[in-house]
Amino acid sequence: MGSTRSYSEDVTHMPVVTDPDLNRAFKDLLAASWDDLPDSLVHEVKAALSKNTDDNAGKEALTNVFRAAVASEEFGEIIMNLKMEFDDTVGMSGENIKPLSKEHANALQTIFSRYNTYLEAFGPDETYLRKKVETELGSKMIYLKMRCGGLSSDWGKVSVLGTSGLAGSYVEKRA
């Protein structure tokens, strides 16, 4: 009685990282944009991971976030390259709009499939990481979605902010 509880307390837990260097690197990595990871951040993470520590759970959590960041950075580059190809094909103002070539349609479907497969690979204890990946890659997927008509209804599931409802959203984090 009388206690408070966060709205999504039992939905999204951050891993407990007790080592201060690992914790700093972990938080810095989650706070950074994964479009282009700064060299200083990569160096900080690698230094923290190479350090001898008893915090094996924290080391594993940082390793997982770092792997996800690198993978998201690389996948984001692939998505943006396809978007730029679409832009080159249709022209600056869309004057050359035409149906997608078979090659572009296959590339679009492959990217969508890999995006969903990647998101589904996160376990229930990695919800925080899934949301970060959705935030980083979701907006890029929306760029593709905006440039193509006639996509399947599955594309409607691509989220811009990586949230479903208020649980774990920016609104809640600021409250």
Side-chain angles (χ1 to χ4, degrees), residues 23-98:
N23 193 33
R24 187 177 337 99
F26 181 82
K27 288 182 176 182
D28 288 348
L29 196 53
L30 285 177
S33 169
W34 290 356
D35 289 340
D36 185 24
L37 294 171
D39 291 335
S40 60
L41 179 59
V42 172
H43 177 71
E44 176 188 357
V45 170
K46 287 182 177 180
L49 288 173
S50 66
K51 175 184 168 189
N52 280 338
T53 180
D54 292 334
D55 187 8
N56 291 327
K59 200 173 216 179
E60 181 180 344
L62 179 58
T63 300
N64 289 339
V65 172
F66 186 56
R67 284 181 187 148
V70 170
S72 292
E73 180 182 30
E74 292 172 2
F75 193 65
E77 289 173 4
I78 293 169
I79 294 170
M80 294 311 288
N81 284 335
L82 184 61
K83 177 198 159 283
M84 289 188 289
E85 272 191 54
F86 287 165
D87 291 347
D88 291 344
T89 302
V90 299
M92 286 297 276
S93 61
E95 66 270 9
N96 297 327
I97 293 179
K98 54 189 168 199

Side-chain angles (χ1 to χ4, degrees), residues 5 15 32-33 36 51 56 85 97 108 110 119 136 150 155 166:
R5 187 182 128 205
S33 169
D36 185 24
K51 175 184 168 189
N56 291 327
E85 272 191 54
I97 293 179
L108 190 64
T110 300
L119 291 180
E136 294 293 329
W155 276 85
L166 288 179

Side-chain angles (χ1 to χ4, degrees), residues 125-162:
D125 58 330
E126 296 177 315
T127 306
Y128 70 97
L129 192 50
R130 178 188 168 113
K131 287 188 178 297
K132 176 65 174 174
V133 170
E134 279 181 319
T135 302
E136 294 293 329
L137 295 177
S139 58
K140 292 175 181 68
M141 294 294 288
I142 295 295
Y143 291 148
L144 289 180
K145 180 180 171 183
M146 290 179 350
R147 281 164 174 71
C148 301
L151 297 174
S152 72
S153 61
D154 289 339
W155 276 85
K157 297 175 187 172
V158 174
S159 169
V160 177
L161 292 178

Side-chain angles (χ1 to χ4, degrees), residues 166 168-175:
L166 288 179
S169 71
Y170 296 118
V171 174
E172 181 192 352
K173 298 279 187 233
R174 298 193 69 182

